[in-house]
């Protein structure tokens, strides 16, 4: 099983690695079997699974529900649960309780928190308590309103210096890795060089130690113009449309179900009596 020690070793040995988001049992199983070492149950599920315009409405219960499903589908990956908006902002005590639930109830191995500043002290406490923390700086979607939209961060010298200082402080506080989202490539390289722990980029150029993408973007399940940093490795939206229309056509024409999809009456064949009727086979 991949652990926080392994991801540190990947960086120490100069081995770039992948992180993908996962939100449900079957996709976690497929990604885990494909050897993706780190699965992040991101609060991006609010946008791609639940249809919200931002991640802000996502609750801790939403996250735990999906995280549990991912844990049931996974055997080898390091599982990281994303702490949703307002599950760690009120106090360190609240953060400890929320993070504890990810590990105790949902089978996660670590949690991710957005931001620097007060989140640095929370990171220190969680780490002291044995809860591994992935940091997240740059474009932090839970601060979308403070940032005036989903905008690239760290473009000015002052902003870049702030992000670098927060990155160092998060490492000092015990974070085992750091997501850098929506920052100029040069800043991502500077942070990556300054830190001992691995950096994980999304919209941060090629110079980080690892890359993360939202699964639905990577698979082409999201449609329309993709953000610049996304590469679509499949076009599943088209594939699903094709499958759904050809299923509908078969039903209309009466060519589905065919004889091979039918059950016979009891006693026709002993083997057939043992046939199971269940989903997800
Ligand atoms: O919520 C999420 O999926 C994330 C990643 C994009 C880093 O935070």
């Amino acid at each position: 099983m991949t652990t926080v020690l392994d991801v540190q070793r990947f960086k120490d040995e100069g081995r770039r690695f992948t992180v993908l988001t996962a939100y449900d049992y079957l996709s976690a199983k497929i990604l885990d079997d494909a050897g993706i070492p780190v699965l992040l149950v991101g609060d991006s599920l609010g946008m791609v699974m639940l249809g919200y315009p931002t991640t802000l409405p996502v609750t801790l219960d939403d996250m735990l529900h999906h995280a549990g499903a991912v844990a049931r589908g996974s055997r080898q990956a390091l599982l990281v649960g994303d702490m949703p908006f307002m599950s760690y902002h009120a106090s360190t005590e609240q953060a400890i309780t929320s993070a504890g639930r990810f590990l105790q109830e949902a089978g996660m191995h670590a949690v991710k928190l957005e931001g620097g500043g007060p989140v640095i002290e929370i990171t220190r406490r969680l780490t002291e308590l044995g809860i591994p923390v992935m940091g997240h700086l740059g474009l932090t979607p839970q601060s979308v309103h403070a940032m005036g939209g989903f905008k690239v961060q760290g473009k000015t010298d002052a902003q870049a210096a702030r992000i670098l200082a927060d990155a160092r402080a998060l490492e000092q506080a015990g974070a085992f890795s750091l997501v850098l989202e929506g920052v100029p490539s040069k800043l991502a390289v500077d942070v990556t060089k300054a830190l001992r722990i691995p950096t994980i980029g999304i919209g941060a150029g090629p110079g980080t130690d690892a890359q993360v993408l939202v699964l639905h973007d990577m698979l082409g399940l999201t449609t329309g113009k993709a953000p610049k940093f996304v590469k679509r490795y499949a076009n599943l939206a088209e594939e699903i449309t094709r499958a759904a229309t050809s299923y509908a056509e078969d039903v209309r024409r009466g060519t589905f179900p065919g004889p091979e999809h039918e059950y016979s009456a009891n006693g026709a064949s002993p083997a057939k009596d043992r046939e199971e009727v269940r989903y997800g086979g």
Side-chain angles (χ1 to χ4, degrees), residues 18-265:
T18 11
V19 181
L20 272 172
T21 65
Y23 314 109
D24 64 84
Y25 165 77
L26 272 182
S27 55
K29 189 166 178 318
I30 293 167
L31 299 176
D32 193 89
D33 287 346
I36 301 298
V38 183
L39 297 181
L40 169 67
V41 186
D43 64 355
S44 52
L45 70 80
M47 297 168 84
V48 298
M49 300 290 290
L50 304 178
Y52 295 131
T54 70
T55 59
L56 302 188
V58 178
T59 65
L60 182 58
D61 284 339
D62 290 334
M63 292 303 300
L64 294 172
H65 179 74
H66 286 269
V70 168
R72 288 189 287 280
S74 166
R75 285 176 304 111
Q76 62 79 27
L78 176 69
L79 303 178
V80 183
D82 209 2
M83 300 263 274
F85 185 58
M86 284 300 140
S87 70
Y88 57 102
H89 300 71
S91 65
T92 304
E93 287 65 35
Q94 186 208 22
I96 294 169
T97 308
S98 302
R101 292 188 67 191
F102 270 105
L103 273 67
Q104 195 166 39
E105 295 174 30
M108 297 290 101
H109 308 128
V111 293
K112 177 169 83 58
L113 279 70
E114 292 186 7
V119 173
I120 293 163
E121 194 42 42
I122 296 173
T123 299
R124 188 184 321 283
R125 275 302 284 146
L126 293 178
T127 307
E128 280 169 1
L129 293 169
I131 300 176
V133 173
M134 177 182 277
H136 184 160
L137 294 174
L139 195 173
T140 46
Q142 290 172 13
S143 307
V144 59
H145 297 308
M147 293 182 303
F150 295 102
K151 293 193 162 48
V152 175
Q153 301 294 301
K155 283 189 156 189
T156 67
D157 287 350
Q159 279 181 354
R162 176 78 265 146
I163 289 173
L164 184 56
D166 279 342
R168 287 199 163 107
L170 283 168
E171 174 172 283
Q172 272 289 313
F176 76 93
S177 62
L178 176 68
V179 170
L180 289 172
E181 176 166 357
V183 296
S185 306
K186 177 175 176 318
L187 174 57
V189 169
D190 290 346
V191 174
T192 300
K193 283 189 181 149
L195 298 192
R196 193 185 54 83
I197 59 172
T199 56
I200 303 163
I202 174 163
T208 52
D209 300 303
Q211 291 289 324
V212 58
L213 278 177
V214 167
L215 182 66
H216 291 50
D217 286 339
M218 193 276 284
L219 294 177
L221 275 166
T222 43
T223 52
K225 192 172 172 337
K228 188 176 179 184
F229 63 84
V230 168
K231 178 169 175 183
R232 286 184 173 142
Y233 286 83
N235 198 336
L236 291 197
E238 261 181 28
E239 196 49 21
I240 290 171
T241 307
R242 194 202 51 72
T245 48
S246 92
Y247 164 60
E249 185 57 20
D250 275 1
V251 171
R252 235 184 336 263
R253 282 211 216 121
T255 50
F256 176 82
E260 70 276 31
H261 306 115
E262 292 182 63
Y263 296 105
S264 48

